[in-house]
Amino acid sequence: MTAVVISGTGLYQPPHTITNAELVESFNAYVDHYNTEHASEIEAGTLTALAPSSVEFIEKASGIKQRYVMEKSGILDPKRMYPRLQSRTDDELSMLAEIGVEAAKKALAAAGKTGADVDGVICACSNLQRAYPAIAIEIQNAIGAKGYAFDMNVACSAATFGLEQAVNAVKSGSAKCVLVVNPEITSGHQEWKDRDCHFIFGDVATATVIERADTATSADQWDVLGSQLATQFSNNIRNNFGYLNRSEDSDPKARDKTFRQEGRKVFKEVVPIASAHIESQLQTLSVQPSDVRRFWLHQANLSMNQLIVKKLIGGEVTPEVAPLILDEYANTSSAGSIIAFHLHHGDMRPGELGVICSFGAGYSVGSVVVRKR
Ligand code: CO8
């Protein structure tokens, strides 16, 4: 089989940040407004008053301190609470493709490649802007890539599921160089009015170049030793937005048409799934968890990541072993583990091992074991 490497990654960071303090201030203004407007129903006991959010809770429960977003004023407007995005004509690059292209250009530059070297583009993310044509084909066209392109969605695990498709394509010879792009405009499908989750997500895009080892020229290459994917049905993370909504005559702004979760259940159930998954993959590669220098995990919750790695290696889990990026970026769905890899691999030496692992809705979990060349 052809040897396959990761030869470059790229990160696009949106222009605006929202700190927890800004977010909580606008959320609490919304709560005050709502409770005042519905004072008589609340008084009569027919409606429950909304409770305020707090910076302390957010930081303690999740580790998130701020997030990047494509547009800020609409999210922070207590009378709106979602971004104000301009629609674009069919002749303009879509917003998802645009941020994907920005990340892709950086990944290609890091790999020492151009769009013309790419013969496969996979857009792997959790929220696709439209049904068709595929965002991936738009990106393929914009960067001048050859071959084929397609979109796929496995929510937060989309990056590792996409990486496996790319690795298999290069291994089997159906492509020589595949670009996996993870554009995430989560702010469009985040429920900013829900106290339980209004702080969770941020926008970003990442891209990864996967190619044959014998064509790679990058100074920074990572052998892909293996990948492993798994899914197990759960309703604990769900979004019912979809193309049948109109025919169902359902309200497009109803609560079930944006992200919702049973966060505590997800935490409890996904920690053992993710750690067992990584352990079993390392076993098949005859690698001890303690031989892994770094775990670049999905970035949903600081304590969750520490527990997953603790189950694998025991003892204290430092940022050196499991880097944290969610304090700055929040949960960026599929992009989280790739941002962690992108920002925290420069100090690793040839021969050292790392695991990129993502997990989330589905449930889904994917891991990719890499070795620095
Ligand atoms: N401010 C103050 N208090 C709050 C707030 C708030 N904002 N929110 C909740 N509380 C209160 C609750 O009411 C509760 O009070 P009480 O004890 O009196 O009932 C108390 O705080 C504790 O609440 P929780 O049990 O909900 O809090 P947790 O400690 O469980 O923390 C978390 C909540 C941070 C959400 C945590 O459960 C978590 O991170 N879980 C893991 C979630 C996870 O990994 N999810 C993966 C989802 S990502 C994914 O798959 C991608 C989907 C696609 C992306 C779509 C993009 C939009």
Side-chain angles (χ1 to χ4, degrees):
M1 275 288 191
T2 311
V4 181
V5 295
I6 292 176
S7 57
T9 51
L11 168 65
Y12 166 80
Q13 202 163 289
H16 310 287
T17 56
I18 299 181
T19 63
N20 286 343
E22 288 175 292
L23 190 71
V24 166
E25 189 188 337
S26 93
F27 181 86
N28 289 350
Y30 158 74
V31 166
D32 288 346
H33 183 258
Y34 178 95
N35 289 346
T36 307
E37 199 173 86
H38 297 95
S40 50
E41 296 113 295
I42 292 167
E43 180 89 5
T46 54
L47 199 71
T48 310
L50 295 181
S53 182
S54 87
V55 171
E56 296 68 34
F57 170 83
I58 295 171
E59 292 183 5
K60 191 159 173 275
S62 70
I64 295 165
K65 295 190 172 145
Q66 63 157 47
R67 70 281 301 141
Y68 294 96
V69 290
M70 298 300 290
E71 202 284 326
K72 167 171 179 170
S73 70
I75 294 170
L76 293 183
D77 178 350
K79 295 209 169 87
R80 181 179 170 96
M81 312 280 281
Y82 48 89
R84 272 189 197 95
L85 304 177
Q86 292 283 319
S87 69
R88 298 183 177 187
T89 67
D90 289 355
D91 297 327
E92 291 176 294
L93 204 57
S94 68
M95 199 175 233
L96 212 61
E98 181 177 285
I99 67 170
V101 166
E102 289 304 314
K105 282 181 186 162
K106 291 178 180 171
L108 288 171
K113 297 275 181 248
T114 68
D117 296 315
V118 173
D119 56 359
V121 177
I122 301 173
C123 176
C125 61
S126 57
N127 291 289
L128 285 156
Q129 189 167 345
R130 59 164 185 266
Y132 42 81
I135 303 292
I137 303 178
E138 207 183 348
I139 295 172
Q140 174 195 27
N141 183 51
I143 64 169
K146 303 184 294 263
Y148 63 90
F150 62 90
D151 292 345
M152 54 177 279
N153 175 359
V154 199
C156 289
S157 301
T160 49
F161 277 60
L163 286 178
E164 175 159 300
Q165 309 321 306
V167 168
N168 287 345
V170 175
K171 257 191 203 164
S172 70
S174 73
K176 290 190 176 69
C177 178
V178 180
L179 188 66
V180 181
V181 188
N182 320 109
E184 292 286 7
I185 306 184
T186 63
S187 56
H189 257 189
Q190 155 80 316
E191 189 43 83
W192 299 96
K193 287 183 182 170
D194 184 336
R195 175 181 180 250
D196 288 343
C197 67
H198 78 114
F199 53 89
I200 291 181
F201 292 102
D203 301 336
V204 80
T206 52
T208 308
V209 178
I210 306 288
E211 62 174 311
R212 296 171 61 103
D214 59 9
T215 62
T217 54
S218 161
D220 184 25
Q221 296 177 29
W222 296 79
D223 287 309
V224 178
L225 302 187
S227 57
Q228 187 171 295
L229 314 178
T231 50
Q232 178 186 312
F233 186 72
S234 166
N235 265 325
N236 288 334
I237 313 170
R238 198 168 170 113
N239 182 340
N240 287 340
F241 177 78
Y243 81 103
L244 290 181
N245 293 161
R246 186 184 66 163
S247 305
E248 294 160 347
D249 294 313
S250 58
D251 174 4
K253 286 194 173 174
R255 179 65 190 91
D256 72 325
K257 306 299 189 305
T258 47
F259 170 86
R260 66 205 155 104
Q261 72 169 353
E262 295 286 340
R264 188 147 286 202
K265 283 190 191 158
V266 174
F267 191 113
K268 246 179 97 180
E269 291 170 9
V270 171
V271 165
I273 293 174
S275 62
H277 182 88
I278 295 173
E279 193 170 21
S280 88
Q281 193 199 355
L282 291 174
Q283 236 166 34
T284 62
L285 294 168
S286 305
V287 172
Q288 294 299 320
S290 54
D291 293 336
V292 175
R293 164 92 191 268
R294 196 151 290 161
F295 295 88
W296 299 283
L297 300 185
H298 172 52
Q299 303 279 316
N301 186 295
L302 167 61
S303 317
M304 202 173 174
N305 285 8
Q306 287 178 332
L307 271 173
I308 290 167
V309 177
K310 196 170 179 185
K311 273 179 181 287
L312 289 164
I313 60 168
E316 198 205 345
V317 179
T318 62
E320 144 75 21
V321 176
L324 181 78
I325 59 97
L326 63 74
D327 51 347
E328 179 181 350
Y329 290 86
N331 181 343
T332 53
S333 198
S334 66
S337 57
I338 304 298
I339 304 175
F341 174 73
H342 176 79
L343 295 177
H344 296 283
H345 72 240
D347 58 328
M348 285 177 64
R349 291 182 297 272
E352 287 187 326
L353 297 172
V355 178
I356 300 171
C357 177
S358 54
F359 40 84
Y363 295 137
S364 55
V365 54
S367 53
V368 181
V369 179
V370 294
R371 182 178 54 210
K372 172 78 180 160
R373 279 207 150 200

